[in-house]
Amino acid sequence: MTNLLEVENLSKRFGSVQANHEISLTVKPGEIVALLGENGAGKSTLVKAVIGLVKPDSGVIRVKGEELPYGDTAEAIARGIGMVHQHFQLVPVMSVTENLVLGDEPTKFGFIQMQKAKRETAELSKRYGLAIDPDAIIEDLPVGMAQRVEILKALRRDVSLLILDEPTAVLTPQETDELLEVLRNLAKKGVGILFITHKLREVMALADRVVVLRNGKLAGSTTPKESSESQLAQLMVGREVVLHVEKGPGNPTGAALEVRELEVLDDRKLEAVKGLSLQVNAGEILGIAGVEGNGQRELVEAICGMRNRRKGTVRIAGKEVPNLKPHEVHAAGVSHIPEDRERHGLVASYSIADNLVLNRFDQEPFAKGWIRNLDAVASNGEELVERYDIRTPSASAPASSLSGGNKQKTVVARELSQDLPVVVASQPTRGVDVGSIEFIHKQLISARDRGAAVLLVSAELDEILSLSDRVAVLYGGKIVATFDSKFANRDEIGRLMAGSQGAHS
Amino acid sequence: MAILQRVKLQTLSIPLLSLLIAFIFGSLLIAMQGSNPLFAYQVLFTKAFGSIEGIATTLAKATPLILSGLAVAICLRAGLFNIGAQGQLISGALASAWAGYSFVGLPFLIHIPLALLFGAFFGSFVALVAGLLKAYRGVHEVITTIMLNSIVIALADYLASTPFKEPDQPITRTPKIEESARIPDLFGLPFGFFIAIAISVVFWWLMRRTTTGFRIETIGRNRNAGWYAGISVKRVIISSMLLGGATAGIAGAVETLSITGRFEPAFNAGLGFDGITVALLARANPLGVIPAAILIGGMRGAASTMQFRAGVAPEIVDLLLALILFFVTAPILLRLLKRKEEGISLSSGWSN
Amino acid sequence: SSGTEETAAITEADCGTEGAFCIGLVTDTGKVDDKSFNQSAWEGAVAGAENVGGFAKYIETLDPKDYATNIGQFADAGYNVIIGVGFLMAEAMTTAAKQYPDIKFIGVDQFQGEALPNLTGLVFPEDKAGFLAGVLAGHLTTSGKTGAVLGTEVVPPVRYFGEGFRNGVAYAAQLLGKDLPATKLIYHAPDNAFNDPAWGGATAKQLLSQGYDVIFGAGGNTGNGALLEIAKTPGAYCVGVDADQWGTLPEAQPCLVTSAMKLIDKGVAALVEAASAGTIEGGNFFGDVGLAPYHDFDSKIDSAIKDKIAELTPQVLDGTVPTGVKL
Amino acid sequence: MRFRLSYFVIVSSILLFAYFYSQNSIVTSSVVFTAIPFALPLALAAMVGVMCERTGIVNIGIEGTMLVSAFTAFFLGAILKNISAGLFIGIMTGVLVGLLLSVMTITWKMDQIIAGVIINIMAAGITSFLYRQNYRIPSTFLPIDIPVIGDIPVIGPIVSNHGPITYFGIIFIFGLWVALYKTPWGLRSRSVGEHPSSADTAGVSVVRLRYINVTIAGAVGGLAGSYLALEAVGIFERGFTAGKGFTALAIMIFGRWNPLGAFAAALFFGLSQAVTNQLMIDEVVQIPQQFVTMLPYVLTILILAISAGKVRPPAAEGIPYEKEKV
Ligand SMILES: Nc1ncnc2c1ncn2[C@@H]1O[C@H](COP(=O)(O)OP(=O)(O)OP(=O)(O)O)[C@@H](O)[C@H]1O
Ligand SMILES: Nc1ncnc2c1ncn2[C@@H]1O[C@H](COP(=O)(O)OP(=O)(O)OP(=O)(O)O)[C@@H](O)[C@H]1O
Ligand SMILES: [Mg+2]
Ligand SMILES: [Mg+2]
């Protein structure tokens, strides 16, 4: 059978970075190929070259045996390539339907036939079992829904090759399973699938073949049958990786963070957190499991001062704190690794060193009164870059030059280096490669071990289960169950997350 | 050290080369008009920089431009586009003129600072309106500052033609300021120039070394991260508008107290708008506004001599300015010099 | 434009030498080809220079703070007469006149409170020109509605023209025994007052659509904008200002019944000649004002009206008939 | 919410009009009639802004575009003794300025505000430098008395008797609204202005669309300039655009980047000009004239402060699109 996609000796350089070096790759019809690699290995660059978003420096791309011109997205789409991008490619202020038809609108006399487009959208969503409201505005949708739109957008144009760049990073386990099912069905119909992910479990479950990139070069190719998760990880990172989280038993002392009867509204003024209470003890990690959109974000934001509470109290180290601003909560003893690092965590054009003091720039020793102490900022930067293994030539380089994983490490370094009594970590490893995940996990555990109370919110059930001492399941803005993680059962938690009643332990 | 030199070379070579190319283009226009470009430029240059009086004139012209340039630059740093420097400047000019003629019998050591303070206060007052509306009502500063310019111009005109008018003469203008409010020359150079330099240095230091500067810069670059890091967006918006307005007000005050000696509407025409050009030419750098303002001041100051001696219409100065701004910011020269492009971005639309 | 006007006898290089007669003109912030008072003054300077065999040159001012500098350029180059245009330059002229007692200064539109021997203010009783135009307008209007589209109120000559016009209409009403409503004076905002013809045009439109049929346009390009708009409307009359706009704004001819003239060019030329002859005196020199010829409208205006205006003109000019405008 | 606001505005405008019309029909018609020539150059200039900003390009060079187009429209119209040719040339000049802005902001990724400032200074300088006297165009575009519509009571006197560019301009504004919200071009343009990489990944060429739109916007700026020179007044003078291009920016924002919103905002401005004049005509106010002229500006600020809400500009505005950084 001829190859659907053939990439031959593709190279691409960005300034001093050789993102892709002589990479070759094939995808056959009906085949599911997983593309693995650390952050910055060049996965996205490779697939963007295929869809025409990046112009390669050299190499050949063939689709169904015919050469594809460089950098022509419209042509690539016309030849049957669809892509779900790593970052949402949806226009936030527009409706689902508008986003779906963009670039290929049904028209009559030059006008868009919106009604027809909406019907198509509804049909499409039914055909693939991805339920979606055609009239919903993207920015009102939870990320999981938005991801559905992304996928439908790629499927809408009768694809023969579907590329997905980390599509599951923002999905819940259930949603992930649904997606994998959709992909399997597509493959059965002969669609070739090129799939990028950091989650080895998915690779093992789905892929026919695995291609691993490292530092822009092909590091190897294998199949899930021939290799184990840890072998894959080693191929990616070039060294042995501890996938399994090693942690000693917790040593919980008194409550460090107490939340009572908390009520919080979301951006649409609907009640998102409904009378929630929880307690995190010093020296313990409490993981919040839950399908995204059940109030996690509002809970974290209400604790960290990013959102006003309507009702309820929050106590930190026994002291009640009123509705505060983020930096005041920080001053009261809470470190916060925010969910959206690009938006809240970092100032991209600032140096790494400045970012590392972003919430302390006006405090000793980084400022004396009104005057900043730039030497102290610089030496703090160098020290943390070293200590937290932030991969950069210099602490004075702009944060924008960092890869995703290293950006996250920068935020982690800033927050955890301060040894505050409470740590709130929201999606701390989203989109981060296995090496960095390992590192961040270690940091969270060592924070616990020094006696901090850690509240961990993550869409990764595995992450929750392996890191937490206790697991609380959040559903509909309330904690529906709490388990000791030793006794936690993946399936039961999954059922609770989906809203069915279960036994309390 | 080598890196330092390379950076310096680049920061100087591009503007100088731009200047050169702009002048070459300009010479075509001058020749088209039937004059000798070389002679015209010689006149322009010797008039602006060739003598002590020439330099004094240049620096006097540059003084309000440095200040109004700063007024725009400081707001740009906070992500605000202050088109209102003109109105703030006029407000400051009128207020300082009023203080200059109303208080009689003060020693100059009190009178001058008092009049400057009046200028700063009323300049910042106008800017405050825009700042408050932006911070609390989300009304875009570009609209409010454009509207405020028109309002202030009309209001100043009313004040100077009715309650504050110099009596017994028909012109819309205030009385002359007292001698004790006059800013003197220093070593034959306008003292206001040194005030402007001092304020530039203070701003430069403020942006580089103080927490206030860091707050402004952070909000300018990522409003969300700044808010999250505990910087009050409202306070930064309001305080940078206040700072900008005060600086523009001082521009008007210095001009009134050292050059015009009274408020007369036409005297301040265009100074605030030139401030936009200065700030952009300087890429919103507080020290960069000094050479940018001197360049513009020199050309404007010498334009009429160029017309007198070489017969070149003074508009050529505007054309040269536009060309310089073009070549400084367009990447053509950078590419020519095979330098790595550094993007300058002062603006990111109205949303920031 | 080189900004010079040479006559055969003298060139620029001769200025400052014995026997050369050089005239320098400093514009206000308008240009020398502004179709308004800078241009008229320059034309007067050129005419004067031709008549006395002198040399004339101008500098266009960009910034009102440069008035003194620009005057100084001419003074230092040894010019004999320096003309400054516009009332905003009065102060700079006075200072310069004191500094250079040997040079004759002519200030256009600059009323002299105290007399300096070498500074002559060329001033015009604009209210009288406006008044005469108003009287004519009062006779011509059929709807009884007259208006004026003006530059800014804060420039005195504009106000004198406008109020003179209004009082002239009232005077005509008295003469005719009619009850004419007061003339409406519409001033532009001070900002950009003389260079907003689009505003002038639209404002004229507004007046026209409410039945105003004689409209005075006075305010540089803003006023011209009004005249041009009125010219498009059959049956409406317009009145120009400063020069005889029949020649300077021919587009307005369809409506231009006359212009309230203030003959700057003639006044400047006369003063230049007087300076050359050594007969110029300090203080104020009153230039001529009056109505421009009716041109093509001559045949359309009732001769009784023409006679009345002709009879009234000397009386207004010599003050027997007061305009009632507060100066 | 937005819909209700626009309904509210429309209904209350009609009620106000009806009230004043019942008080004095001639003056009321005349004021509304005059609001149109006051508003039109502002509205067209605001369309330039809307078109550019909707695709993500900030254009503060509108003033310069109008000025230089008015210049060429007038002088070539005069030299060729043909105002239609002048109009064509004025529009083509706008196209050239649009292309220049495109090259600077899209290809070279220059700061968009700087690019606009360059255009403004350049236009002011060159038109003043090259200005010559004694050129005349044969005539202006004259008002058209529309046969049937002109006879409708109440409305007829207001909508009839405007010039051809005025009618074309108003039709264009409505057309632009339809195109922006109902056609593929509009959907793509708005996407490019909101989130260019989405459009790019959907196979829409961001660069090409921005070039096209900024260039067409330039043509509209050329039309606005030509309107001033060839229809509104029939002369060209240095700087006679008198800041309309800047006021247009405010109008564009006031109108929330929506062609009809901006048209309404421009009409509001035109109306307040006409009302200001009417206050002087009727001498109803004894307050100083400067306060009367301030009125529209103060009103605008007040209205925005009260109704405010956060106006949300196109999200990608001002940011050069870097294709490979999707
Ligand atoms: N537009 C760009 N300009 C400069 N460098 C780039 C650009 N895009 C990617 N790079 C660099 O190229 C390398 C490969 O990036 P790429 O996005 O392909 O990595 P990736 O494997 O997809 O990583 P991740 O898992 O974090 O998504 C990185 O070092 C990245 O910083
Ligand atoms: N990036 C953001 N993410 C979430 N909410 C935000 C963000 N920025 C602002 N807000 C919300 O908007 C409100 C007002 O924002 P703003 O930044 O103006 O307040 P502030 O900085 O606290 O100012 P002040 O101290 O003067 O009250 C904040 O209190 C917060 O609730
Ligand atoms: Mg990637
Ligand atoms: Mg607040």
Side-chain angles (χ1 to χ4, degrees):
Chain A
M1 203 180 225
T2 61
N3 287 325
L4 193 56
L5 173 72
E6 283 168 0
V7 176
E8 248 176 59
N9 295 329
L10 189 127
S11 296
K12 173 69 185 179
R13 172 181 279 279
F14 290 114
S16 60
V17 180
Q18 187 73 48
N20 283 173
H21 182 71
E22 311 233 311
I23 293 180
S24 299
L25 173 107
T26 60
V27 180
K28 290 191 174 63
E31 186 184 32
I32 302 181
V33 178
L35 190 57
L36 289 186
E38 280 186 288
N39 290 130
K43 306 179 295 289
S44 297
T45 304
L46 178 64
V47 292
K48 279 194 255 176
V50 171
I51 194 90
L53 289 170
V54 158
K55 266 193 190 143
D57 299 328
S58 60
V60 183
I61 304 163
R62 272 188 287 267
V63 177
K64 295 173 200 155
E66 271 181 67
E67 198 169 322
L68 198 65
Y70 284 176
D72 189 345
T73 310
E75 177 64 20
I77 293 174
R79 301 261 199 105
I81 306 180
M83 178 157 163
V84 174
H85 297 263
Q86 179 169 9
H87 304 287
F88 281 140
Q89 297 304 342
L90 299 171
V91 185
V93 296
M94 290 185 181
S95 74
V96 169
T97 305
E98 283 173 316
N99 270 283
L100 284 177
V101 298
L102 176 62
D104 179 29
E105 305 82 358
T107 58
K108 195 170 183 182
F109 310 124
F111 295 103
I112 298 183
Q113 292 177 287
M114 226 0 121
Q115 292 312 319
K116 185 174 168 205
K118 278 182 198 167
R119 279 198 306 277
E120 272 182 21
T121 305
E123 277 164 29
L124 198 66
S125 115
K126 216 159 96 200
R127 171 142 48 105
Y128 291 102
L130 298 170
I132 196 80
D133 170 10
D135 286 322
I137 301 297
I138 298 295
E139 63 186 352
D140 294 338
L141 294 179
V143 278
M145 282 294 204
Q147 186 64 294
R148 282 186 193 178
V149 181
E150 249 331 341
I151 292 162
L152 287 177
K153 193 172 132 190
L155 294 176
R156 178 172 171 268
R157 298 196 199 176
D158 288 332
V159 290
S160 50
L161 174 68
L162 181 61
I163 301 171
L164 302 103
D165 194 350
E166 301 193 29
T168 58
V170 293
L171 296 184
T172 62
Q174 278 83 356
E175 285 171 330
T176 301
D177 291 343
E178 282 168 23
L179 175 64
L180 297 190
E181 197 50 43
V182 170
L183 295 183
R184 276 191 205 100
N185 286 334
L186 280 173
K188 268 183 214 148
K189 288 181 199 153
V191 175
I193 289 168
L194 185 58
F195 185 83
I196 299 175
T197 183
H198 289 291
K199 300 178 189 172
L200 299 177
R201 210 166 56 82
E202 293 167 8
V203 175
M204 302 311 275
L206 186 70
D208 298 319
R209 210 145 54 77
V210 184
V211 175
V212 181
L213 299 187
R214 184 164 54 197
N215 286 333
K217 297 193 190 100
L218 214 54
S221 177
T222 176
T223 65
K225 287 188 200 92
E226 292 165 25
S227 49
S228 69
E229 287 192 25
S230 58
Q231 279 169 323
L232 286 176
Q234 191 169 346
L235 201 53
M236 280 161 64
V237 184
R239 66 178 163 87
E240 207 166 323
V241 183
V242 188
L243 288 177
H244 158 77
V245 178
E246 284 176 6
K247 65 172 206 274
N251 178 23
T253 56
L257 171 67
E258 286 174 86
V259 176
R260 292 273 164 267
E261 304 290 330
L262 186 67
E263 286 182 18
V264 188
L265 302 185
D266 66 13
D267 292 340
R268 281 170 287 175
K269 307 277 172 241
L270 303 176
E271 196 167 60
V273 176
K274 305 168 180 162
L276 176 147
S277 299
L278 62 77
Q279 168 174 338
V280 191
N281 297 316
E284 135 183 291
I285 298 179
L286 174 69
I288 304 281
V291 176
E292 205 148 324
N294 276 281
Q296 290 95 325
R297 172 184 296 169
E298 288 76 13
L299 169 66
V300 167
E301 290 185 349
I303 293 173
C304 296
M306 295 172 74
R307 188 179 287 277
N308 277 337
R309 313 194 281 265
R310 199 163 68 149
K311 238 180 166 176
T313 58
V314 173
R315 287 166 168 272
I316 292 161
K319 226 175 100 199
E320 177 164 346
V321 293
N323 264 325
L324 293 176
K325 306 265 174 61
H327 68 290
E328 293 166 334
V329 175
H330 179 262
V334 179
S335 280
H336 176 206
I337 299 168
E339 174 178 348
D340 191 340
R341 58 182 172 246
E342 307 281 344
R343 199 170 140 89
H344 291 125
L346 295 169
V347 177
S349 56
Y350 273 176
S351 68
I352 296 164
D354 273 339
N355 273 296
L356 285 167
V357 297
L358 204 53
N359 52 10
R360 283 185 294 166
F361 70 92
D362 54 354
Q363 291 163 23
E364 297 264 15
F366 307 117
K368 279 208 180 65
W370 194 41
I371 314 292
R372 299 185 69 208
N373 182 348
L374 298 181
D375 292 335
V377 172
S379 62
N380 174 72
E382 277 157 33
E383 189 204 320
L384 294 185
V385 162
E386 176 74 31
R387 179 140 67 95
Y388 285 84
D389 189 31
I390 299 167
R391 308 272 171 86
T392 171
S394 150
S396 59
S400 57
S401 68
L402 294 175
S403 75
N406 284 299
K407 279 183 185 156
Q408 186 69 336
K409 282 197 240 171
T410 305
V411 176
V412 169
R414 178 178 72 216
E415 298 298 329
L416 297 189
S417 63
Q418 298 176 53
D419 292 349
L420 297 182
V422 176
V423 173
V424 178
S426 189
Q427 318 288 359
T429 60
R430 171 172 288 174
V432 172
D433 66 48
V434 282
S436 303
I437 290 175
E438 177 194 12
F439 184 85
I440 291 168
H441 285 174
K442 274 190 191 149
Q443 294 302 323
L444 289 173
I445 290 167
S446 75
R448 177 199 73 163
D449 290 346
R450 69 162 164 79
V454 179
L455 180 68
L456 171 70
V457 175
S458 171
E460 299 296 324
L461 190 49
D462 293 329
E463 183 170 41
I464 298 275
L465 290 174
S466 58
L467 274 182
S468 310
D469 298 304
R470 283 190 303 133
V471 179
V473 181
L474 186 64
Y475 177 77
K478 286 185 191 137
I479 303 258
V480 292
T482 311
F483 300 91
D484 188 315
S485 64
K486 270 174 279 183
F487 310 115
N489 169 316
R490 210 171 184 278
D491 293 337
E492 183 177 5
I493 292 181
R495 258 186 288 114
L496 286 167
M497 280 165 67
S500 67
Q501 296 298 316
H504 290 238
S505 70
Chain B
M1 200 53 213
I3 289 179
L4 206 74
Q5 272 171 349
R6 195 142 22 97
V7 169
K8 283 233 173 86
L9 201 70
Q10 170 154 352
T11 51
L12 279 182
S13 63
I14 294 289
L16 288 181
L17 206 60
S18 306
L19 222 64
L20 188 73
I21 298 181
F23 275 77
I24 291 171
F25 270 89
S27 62
L28 296 179
L29 290 167
I30 295 174
M32 220 171 78
Q33 240 195 359
S35 301
N36 177 351
L38 279 184
F39 179 61
Y41 288 148
Q42 190 198 334
V43 170
L44 186 72
F45 189 80
T46 36
K47 170 65 189 163
F49 302 105
S51 66
I52 291 290
E53 304 90 69
I55 292 176
T57 310
T58 297
L59 298 188
K61 291 267 175 196
T63 303
L65 300 184
I66 293 176
L67 291 167
S68 63
L70 280 175
V72 179
I74 195 81
C75 292
L76 278 178
R77 285 303 193 87
L80 301 166
F81 190 32
N82 179 12
I83 306 192
Q86 183 67 33
Q88 294 145 21
L89 187 148
I90 284 178
S91 170
L94 178 59
S96 68
W98 185 84
Y101 74 77
S102 300
F103 299 112
V104 181
L106 293 178
F108 75 96
L109 271 178
I110 296 179
H111 204 173
I112 293 175
L114 181 75
L116 285 175
L117 216 64
F118 260 76
F121 180 81
F122 282 92
S124 57
F125 179 77
V126 173
L128 179 67
V129 176
L132 286 176
L133 284 170
K134 168 90 178 184
Y136 288 96
R137 304 295 304 157
V139 185
H140 203 281
E141 77 274 5
V142 165
I143 308 194
T144 42
T145 52
I146 289 177
M147 300 291 132
L148 281 167
N149 278 343
S150 301
I151 294 173
V152 170
I153 287 168
L155 194 63
D157 212 282
Y158 165 73
L159 293 173
S161 66
T162 315
F164 301 164
K165 180 164 159 289
E166 182 183 30
D168 304 326
Q169 57 83 40
I171 302 176
T172 299
R173 67 182 193 199
T174 67
K176 256 198 155 14
I177 58 172
E178 294 288 304
E179 270 314 305
S180 57
R182 273 230 171 245
I183 299 181
D185 282 1
L186 191 69
F187 315 123
L189 296 178
F191 186 69
F193 179 72
F194 298 100
I195 299 180
I197 297 286
I199 295 179
S200 304
V201 173
V202 167
F203 271 136
W204 174 78
W205 175 81
L206 185 91
M207 293 309 295
R208 219 182 148 77
R209 291 306 300 271
T210 68
T211 53
T212 305
F214 191 78
R215 287 194 173 92
I216 292 177
E217 190 87 30
T218 306
I219 294 303
R221 293 182 186 218
N222 182 343
R223 195 164 282 177
N224 290 308
W227 169 80
Y228 172 72
I231 301 169
S232 168
V233 181
K234 291 191 183 96
R235 206 144 29 158
V236 166
I237 289 175
I238 291 169
S239 56
S240 42
M241 281 308 281
L242 279 175
L243 275 178
T247 316
I250 293 176
V254 167
E255 191 70 356
T256 304
L257 303 179
S258 47
I259 310 280
T260 62
R262 59 156 54 100
F263 179 80
E264 193 172 317
F267 281 164
N268 301 297
L271 289 179
F273 291 115
D274 271 348
I276 298 174
T277 316
V278 170
L280 295 181
L281 210 48
R283 300 174 182 193
N285 179 324
L287 291 185
V289 301
I290 300 171
I294 290 176
L295 176 73
I296 299 182
M299 298 211 304
R300 291 228 190 281
S304 60
T305 305
M306 191 167 67
Q307 181 174 37
F308 179 64
R309 305 233 358 243
V312 179
E315 289 86 2
I316 191 76
V317 166
D318 276 319
L319 286 171
L320 288 174
L321 262 180
L323 288 168
I324 293 168
L325 192 58
F326 175 79
F327 285 111
V328 167
T329 46
I332 312 175
L333 288 181
L334 283 165
R335 279 183 199 160
L336 224 62
L337 296 179
K338 301 225 169 14
R339 292 267 159 69
K340 197 172 162 267
E341 281 170 40
E342 61 173 306
I344 336 147
S345 186
L346 306 166
S347 55
S348 48
W350 313 131
S351 45
N352 199 351
Chain C
S1 67
S2 67
T4 62
E5 183 62 41
E6 297 175 18
T7 59
I10 297 181
T11 68
E12 184 170 8
D14 300 326
C15 293
T17 61
E18 192 68 31
F21 190 73
C22 295
I23 303 142
L25 178 137
V26 179
T27 70
D28 84 338
T29 50
K31 309 287 295 180
V32 80
D33 53 2
D34 66 353
K35 297 184 192 155
S36 181
F37 66 160
N38 286 307
Q39 181 170 352
S40 302
W42 173 240
E43 283 165 2
V46 170
E50 267 165 15
N51 292 348
V52 302
F55 167 83
K57 179 164 180 166
Y58 63 80
I59 297 180
E60 293 172 330
T61 309
L62 286 181
D63 178 346
K65 283 165 292 193
D66 292 341
Y67 289 144
T69 323
N70 293 347
I71 294 168
Q73 309 248 30
F74 284 123
D76 294 341
Y79 278 63
N80 309 71
V81 176
I82 298 175
I83 304 162
V85 187
F87 71 103
L88 292 173
M89 215 185 295
E91 202 171 0
M93 290 288 281
T94 310
T95 313
K98 287 179 183 157
Q99 192 184 342
Y100 302 99
D102 297 337
I103 301 175
K104 301 297 180 196
F105 289 88
I106 300 169
V108 178
D109 269 355
Q110 294 164 18
F111 185 83
Q112 302 300 315
E114 54 166 329
L116 288 176
N118 62 331
L119 171 56
T120 312
L122 174 60
V123 291
F124 299 87
E126 290 93 355
D127 55 319
K128 293 178 177 172
F131 188 87
L132 287 170
V135 176
L136 178 65
H139 282 89
L140 291 180
T141 177
T142 45
S143 66
K145 292 175 168 183
T146 54
V149 180
L150 303 163
T152 170
E153 190 174 12
V154 302
V155 171
V158 173
R159 189 168 61 79
Y160 301 157
F161 269 124
E163 293 180 358
F165 183 78
R166 183 185 62 198
N167 295 355
V169 172
Y171 186 81
Q174 224 176 4
L175 284 182
L176 297 166
K178 281 207 278 192
D179 191 19
L180 295 179
T183 301
K184 311 305 183 190
L185 306 184
I186 306 171
Y187 292 102
H188 190 278
D191 200 22
N192 239 320
F194 295 96
N195 203 20
D196 195 351
W199 178 89
T203 303
K205 246 189 175 150
Q206 184 166 0
L207 288 172
L208 290 168
S209 66
Q210 292 174 34
Y212 288 76
D213 62 355
V214 188
I215 298 171
F216 182 32
N221 292 323
T222 306
N224 287 350
L227 302 186
L228 293 169
E229 181 63 42
I230 301 158
K232 294 181 202 165
T233 308
Y237 296 109
C238 64
V239 177
V241 78
D242 286 346
D244 181 357
Q245 294 207 284
W246 192 267
T248 58
L249 195 71
E251 295 92 330
Q253 285 176 2
C255 67
L256 194 78
V257 57
T258 185
S259 301
M261 286 199 302
K262 148 184 180 184
L263 300 175
I264 294 177
D265 50 351
K266 200 172 147 216
V268 169
L271 285 174
V272 166
E273 284 161 32
S276 167
T279 56
I280 191 168
E281 286 169 28
N284 289 308
F285 178 91
F286 285 90
D288 289 346
V289 297
L291 289 189
Y294 306 119
H295 299 284
D296 291 1
F297 284 88
D298 198 56
S299 53
K300 295 172 201 155
I301 301 173
D302 215 15
S303 58
I305 300 177
K306 286 189 283 193
D307 292 346
K308 186 69 213 171
I309 298 289
E311 176 199 331
L312 208 54
T313 303
Q315 295 171 351
V316 171
L317 292 183
D318 69 14
T320 356
V321 174
T323 64
V325 175
K326 183 175 155 288
L327 298 179
Chain D
M1 179 61 208
R2 210 168 93 212
F3 261 92
R4 262 184 240 148
L5 181 69
S6 53
Y7 289 152
F8 175 75
V9 169
I10 291 168
V11 169
S12 48
S13 306
I14 291 173
L15 288 178
L16 271 178
F17 175 79
Y19 171 74
F20 283 111
Y21 194 85
S22 70
Q23 298 297 304
N24 186 337
S25 60
I26 293 177
V27 165
T28 306
S29 312
S30 153
V31 165
V32 181
F33 172 77
T34 318
I36 293 172
F38 277 127
L40 193 82
L42 297 174
L44 284 179
M47 291 313 125
V48 183
V50 169
M51 289 190 67
C52 290
E53 304 215 346
R54 275 300 180 141
T55 30
I57 303 292
V58 173
N59 183 353
I60 67 166
I62 303 173
E63 177 85 1
T65 313
M66 285 166 69
L67 192 58
V68 75
S69 307
F71 178 86
T72 54
F74 177 79
F75 281 100
L76 285 147
I79 289 167
L80 302 173
K81 298 197 170 38
N82 181 338
I83 50 173
S84 301
L87 176 62
F88 177 74
I89 288 163
I91 292 174
M92 290 322 286
T93 307
V95 166
L96 287 181
V97 178
L99 277 173
L100 174 67
L101 182 69
S102 303
V103 172
M104 288 196 285
T105 57
I106 304 168
T107 305
W108 293 342
K109 305 185 170 80
M110 276 167 65
D111 184 272
Q112 299 177 359
I113 289 185
I114 296 184
V117 167
I118 289 172
I119 286 177
N120 287 336
I121 307 180
M122 195 99 83
I126 202 103
T127 54
S128 180
F129 195 78
L130 297 178
Y131 175 89
R132 294 291 179 272
Q133 261 193 336
N134 298 327
Y135 284 86
R136 288 182 60 188
I137 50 172
S139 109
T140 56
F141 287 108
L142 293 173
I144 301 170
D145 202 346
I146 304 182
V148 182
I149 296 173
D151 299 332
I152 303 174
V154 187
I155 303 193
I158 294 172
V159 296
S160 186
N161 253 317
H162 296 285
I165 301 182
T166 306
Y167 290 120
F168 176 78
I170 293 172
I171 292 169
F172 173 81
I173 290 168
F174 280 88
L176 180 63
W177 181 84
V178 171
L180 205 50
Y181 292 102
K182 306 285 175 201
T183 69
W185 169 82
L187 181 68
R188 294 172 186 194
S189 297
R190 286 181 291 130
S191 312
V192 164
E194 285 289 342
H195 202 256
S197 60
S198 300
D200 195 2
T201 54
V204 175
S205 168
V206 175
V207 167
R208 200 170 64 206
L209 198 58
R210 284 191 172 169
Y211 256 91
I212 291 172
N213 289 4
V214 173
T215 306
I216 299 176
V220 178
L223 184 71
S226 308
Y227 165 81
L228 287 180
L230 303 178
E231 183 168 303
V233 285
I235 49 175
F236 177 88
E237 295 297 341
R238 294 183 176 92
F240 83 144
T241 41
K244 292 183 174 58
F246 292 106
T247 310
L249 285 178
I251 285 175
M252 167 194 75
I253 298 173
F254 199 174
R256 299 178 183 205
W257 288 269
N258 176 322
L260 292 188
F263 186 44
L267 281 177
F268 167 76
F269 252 72
L271 207 54
S272 52
Q273 280 282 9
V275 169
T276 304
N277 282 348
Q278 198 61 42
L279 292 179
M280 283 193 249
I281 293 172
D282 294 346
E283 291 167 7
V284 288
V285 273
Q286 291 305 313
I287 50 175
Q289 170 238 347
Q290 290 96 339
F291 287 88
V292 182
T293 55
M294 264 184 245
L295 195 69
Y297 306 106
V298 175
L299 270 182
T300 306
I301 288 187
L302 281 181
I303 288 175
L304 287 174
I306 294 165
S307 79
K310 315 246 171 192
V311 274
R312 193 154 73 164
E317 197 179 65
I319 310 159
Y321 181 58
E322 313 261 359
K323 182 166 170 103
E324 301 200 330
K325 289 201 176 140
V326 172

